[in-house]
Amino acid sequence: MASSSDLTPPAGNAPDGPAGPAVPARRGRVRLRRAAVMAVPAAAVTAGLAILTAQGALGVQFAISGMPFTVTATELDGKGFAQFGGLDNMAEGSPNAGDTGGQVLVVTSVIKEATLTKLCQSVDLGGTNLLITAGGGDRKVSAVDLTTDSTELSGDAAFDNIEIGNDASTLDKAGPKGRGPIGVFSQQADTVRIEKLRQTNYATTAGVFKLPGLKMRFSDSGC
């Protein structure tokens, strides 16, 4: 499984310089972020496992917030797997851009049909975490056209009939949404199984996403 370094923007204040005023401290936006989270709980619930639809060289069809979130699962099983590089963009003027220029280099993973056991997602809001859990025991989380944009991915992985080094525009095992931009290195497989999954993600979409036993709460610790 390919991965890349977490590009989370640095926190803290810096003095004004020739390039302009300093970026505000991350903790200075804690209350605003909490208010945004409470205003759109449905959006947070839908972001169980980072998922996006690939569109050209961009990983998502929307501007990302620039706030990374952690996703873990004791086990992920998928049919129809594709993976390639992409670039996600924040909204213009986002306070989370830092020195990234508002862009995050990501690894996009697409799974046509996926199930996950003991899913956990957490977002660090600065002093507290929004924690989402679902899918324990026989009641697994399931998704169709599951796509994740990650800066870090780890676990114990196994693939069936894997192909490595494809042009991303020619991928066909994960369906139309599993195709990436032309000229980009990629890989695909008939099936994927990852135990002890852990991801750092920036965005998510899915055609269908079912989360049995869903619980959402604030917590001192994340996943």
Side-chain angles (χ1 to χ4, degrees), residues 22 34 48 72 89 118 121 123 140 153 180 187 210:
R34 288 180 182 171
T72 65
N89 289 271
K118 294 184 179 179
Q121 175 187 290
V123 183
K140 296 183 179 181
L153 190 157
Q187 58 185 11
K210 298 181 179 179

Side-chain angles (χ1 to χ4, degrees), residues 53-69:
T53 301
Q55 184 182 42
L58 303 179
V60 291
Q61 294 176 314
F62 52 85
I64 63 172
S65 69
M67 295 175 63
F69 53 98

Side-chain angles (χ1 to χ4, degrees), residues 51-137:
I51 337 161
L52 338 163
T53 301
Q55 184 182 42
L58 303 179
V60 291
Q61 294 176 314
F62 52 85
I64 63 172
S65 69
M67 295 175 63
F69 53 98
T70 299
V71 173
T72 65
T74 57
E75 182 177 297
L76 178 151
D77 286 288
K79 296 179 180 179
F81 169 80
Q83 191 176 69
F84 48 87
L87 194 65
D88 287 351
N89 289 271
M90 302 176 203
E92 185 176 355
S94 172
N96 298 321
D99 58 1
T100 68
Q103 295 183 320
V104 180
L105 183 64
V106 296
V107 175
T108 297
S109 303
V110 183
I111 303 176
K112 186 63 178 175
E113 299 178 14
T115 59
L116 301 102
T117 304
K118 294 184 179 179
L119 175 69
C120 178
Q121 175 187 290
S122 61
V123 183
D124 185 355
L125 302 176
T128 191
N129 293 270
L130 175 63
L131 189 67
I132 298 171
T133 57

Side-chain angles (χ1 to χ4, degrees), residues 37 41-51 67-73 118-124 129-134 148 198-199 201-204 209 211 214-219 221-223:
V37 168
V45 170
T46 307
L49 180 67
I51 337 161
M67 295 175 63
F69 53 98
T70 299
V71 173
T72 65
K118 294 184 179 179
L119 175 69
C120 178
Q121 175 187 290
S122 61
V123 183
D124 185 355
N129 293 270
L130 175 63
L131 189 67
I132 298 171
T133 57
T148 66
R198 187 175 188 87
Q199 292 178 302
N201 296 327
Y202 274 86
T204 182
F209 205 19
L211 298 99
L214 173 70
K215 293 183 180 180
M216 182 171 65
R217 59 196 182 278
F218 290 104
S219 173
S221 59
C223 298

Side-chain angles (χ1 to χ4, degrees), residues 53-54 110 112 145 171-180:
T53 301
V110 183
K112 186 63 178 175
D145 292 334
L171 299 179
D172 57 9
K173 292 182 181 289
K177 293 184 179 180
R179 296 192 185 103

Side-chain angles (χ1 to χ4, degrees), residues 34 40 54 56 59 72 85 104 112 150 161 190 195:
R34 288 180 182 171
V40 286
T72 65
V104 180
K112 186 63 178 175
S150 311
N161 297 323
D190 288 345
E195 297 179 347

